[in-house]
Amino acid sequence: MAQIVKEPRFHIVKRADISSKKAWAIRIIAILAALVICALITMICTGDNPISIFTTICKGAFGTQRKSWITLQYVAILLIISLALTPAFKMQFWNVGGEGQVLMGGLAAAACMITLSDTLPNAVVIILMIVSSILAGALWGVIPAFFKAMWNTNETLSTLMMNYIATQLVAYFTIVWEVPKGSGKIGIINQNSNIGWLPNVGNKYLLSIIAAVIVTIGMYIYLKFTKHGYEIEVVGESQNTARYVGINVGKVMIRTMFLSGAICGLAGLLLVGGINHTITTTISDGQGFTGVMVSWLAKFNPVAMIFTSLLIIFMDRGASEISTVFELNQSFADILTGIILFFIIGCEFFIRYKILVRKDLGKENA
């Protein structure tokens, strides 16, 4: 008797291999699709044509010289944070605590600016800011790494919880240092004396960009050509294999998270001492979490992170400009940014998998 075997109409199959050109083609298609969706939504809400919408996106990021510098500065900070998280992720250590590590670096810098401005020369204050910010960020990274190495705790939860602790510490000291009292804000630190303000290099935007270039080159060399980079890769592939060849896994974890936190602390220093000259609980603007996405999308490649960071900041700045120009509230910009990020992340599925469609709905087996 013949038996009808029902087969699914669609099959999801993991790709055996995909060329770099094809992968980037899929990403470009996803970005274009995101822009089309954003344009359609904006047209429905405003009645304007798509060309003006796309023009507004470009103007939001690079419309003037000042906007171009600000965009590049944002890219630099996001890139530094993404690079900081990369060694940990490559080691399969899920560090989602970049936000807290940046905040602690910024808090340490602000503490030096506020408490030492009347007692030490500016150059000494800046040196202490650099050292304390790097060490504060490093400490915030080492704590969960130590517990992971000693007692195999869940690093995702511990690094996430450290974010909340860092946020509350910043909130506490904001009240302690608030100016004027009762305002709930610190305001611009040392606005008259500029003690602790990082020096301008060319202009006020360039220092962060130079720092990002140095960190990018350094991280590329570190991961690709050093013994420590090799050990990170081996631990990421298999901790058992790493132990078999004589690598101290716990030591590698702690050392790597020290580096990761230290670079995040550097980002906090740049935000407080070089860009905003104040400290708030939202000073990193969620880039500690966005950096996770940048690192993964770039496949832990420091060079690819440059373009990924630029793309995300470009889209974000463009969405904010649309919200301003067409007199829509900031929530609309967040909606557009969310759509763009959804398409960018979603395209990775089609890079790793392909969908096969069956022509016949079933087949007969005798």
Side-chain angles (χ1 to χ4, degrees):
M1 182 178 177
Q3 181 182 3
I4 302 296
V5 178
K6 294 290 185 180
E7 292 282 350
R9 182 65 173 173
F10 300 97
H11 289 273
I12 298 175
V13 180
K14 189 171 184 178
R15 294 182 187 272
D17 192 18
I18 186 171
S19 66
S20 178
K21 289 183 179 180
K22 192 170 183 180
W24 278 106
I26 293 174
R27 293 187 179 103
I28 291 170
I29 291 171
I31 294 167
L32 294 175
L35 291 174
V36 169
I37 296 298
C38 289
L40 289 174
I41 292 175
T42 309
M43 285 173 58
I44 293 171
C45 294
T46 65
D48 286 273
N49 64 73
I51 295 176
S52 65
I53 293 166
F54 290 131
T55 302
T56 303
I57 291 175
C58 294
K59 285 182 178 178
F62 300 107
T64 64
Q65 186 179 27
R66 181 175 178 274
K67 285 182 178 180
S68 298
W69 279 114
I70 292 174
T71 297
L72 293 177
Q73 188 179 63
Y74 284 177
V75 170
I77 296 299
L78 178 57
L79 178 59
I80 290 172
I81 296 172
S82 304
L83 289 165
L85 301 176
T86 296
F89 287 143
K90 197 167 185 180
M91 186 181 61
Q92 302 292 312
F93 187 102
W94 312 120
N95 177 19
V96 293
E99 194 84 358
Q101 292 152 27
V102 171
L103 281 175
M104 291 307 295
L107 180 62
C112 291
M113 294 171 71
I114 293 170
T115 61
L116 302 177
S117 60
D118 296 330
T119 58
L120 294 174
N122 184 41
V124 177
V125 172
I126 290 176
I127 292 172
L128 290 176
M129 285 169 59
I130 295 171
V131 173
S132 61
S133 293
I134 290 174
L135 290 179
L139 174 65
W140 227 243
V142 164
I143 291 173
F146 176 78
F147 282 96
K148 174 71 173 181
M150 294 297 294
W151 297 289
N152 197 32
T153 57
N154 187 305
E155 71 274 15
T156 304
L157 290 177
S158 59
T159 52
L160 185 62
M161 293 301 104
M162 296 292 281
N163 288 338
Y164 292 107
I165 297 173
T167 301
Q168 294 308 312
L169 281 172
V170 172
Y172 171 78
F173 282 103
T174 298
I175 302 302
V176 172
W177 296 327
E178 63 183 353
V179 178
K181 287 296 181 182
S183 65
K185 296 179 181 180
I186 294 177
I188 301 299
I189 303 172
N190 301 335
Q191 187 169 10
N192 295 324
S193 64
N194 292 349
I195 297 293
W197 288 32
L198 298 179
N200 292 333
V201 181
N203 60 45
K204 63 181 181 179
Y205 307 105
L206 198 54
L207 179 62
S208 300
I209 298 170
I210 293 173
V213 171
I214 294 171
V215 173
T216 302
I217 295 171
M219 186 59 69
Y220 180 81
I221 294 171
Y222 179 79
L223 292 176
K224 200 165 184 67
F225 300 108
T226 68
K227 179 185 175 184
H228 288 181
Y230 169 76
E231 289 177 342
I232 288 172
E233 187 170 356
V234 174
V235 172
E237 290 292 332
S238 170
Q239 290 189 15
N240 291 331
T241 302
R243 293 188 181 97
Y244 180 77
V245 298
I247 296 174
N248 187 327
V249 174
K251 181 180 178 181
V252 173
M253 282 184 183
I254 293 173
R255 183 183 67 211
T256 304
M257 282 301 294
F258 182 95
L259 175 64
S260 183
I263 299 175
C264 282
L266 173 64
L269 168 71
L270 292 170
L271 286 169
V272 172
I275 299 174
N276 297 296
H277 305 122
T278 188
I279 180 72
T280 66
T281 56
T282 58
I283 194 168
S284 62
D285 197 26
Q287 289 186 323
F289 297 109
T290 307
V292 175
M293 181 175 62
V294 171
S295 182
W296 274 94
L297 289 176
K299 307 298 183 188
F300 312 132
N301 185 328
V303 177
M305 285 180 209
I306 298 172
F307 302 101
T308 308
S309 299
L310 178 60
L311 172 65
I312 289 176
I313 295 298
F314 171 78
M315 296 294 192
D316 183 60
R317 299 262 299 157
S320 296
E321 185 73 6
I322 286 176
S323 178
T324 302
V325 170
F326 296 108
E327 298 181 351
L328 301 167
N329 61 39
Q330 184 59 37
S331 297
F332 186 79
D334 293 337
I335 291 171
L336 297 184
T337 302
I339 292 170
I340 292 164
L341 294 180
F342 175 80
F343 274 84
I344 292 174
I345 296 171
C347 75
E348 294 299 310
F349 172 85
F350 295 98
I351 292 173
R352 296 186 180 186
Y353 301 91
K354 59 183 178 180
I355 300 175
L356 301 179
V357 182
R358 289 184 56 84
K359 294 181 179 180
D360 53 324
L361 295 176
K363 63 179 181 179
E364 291 188 2
N365 289 340

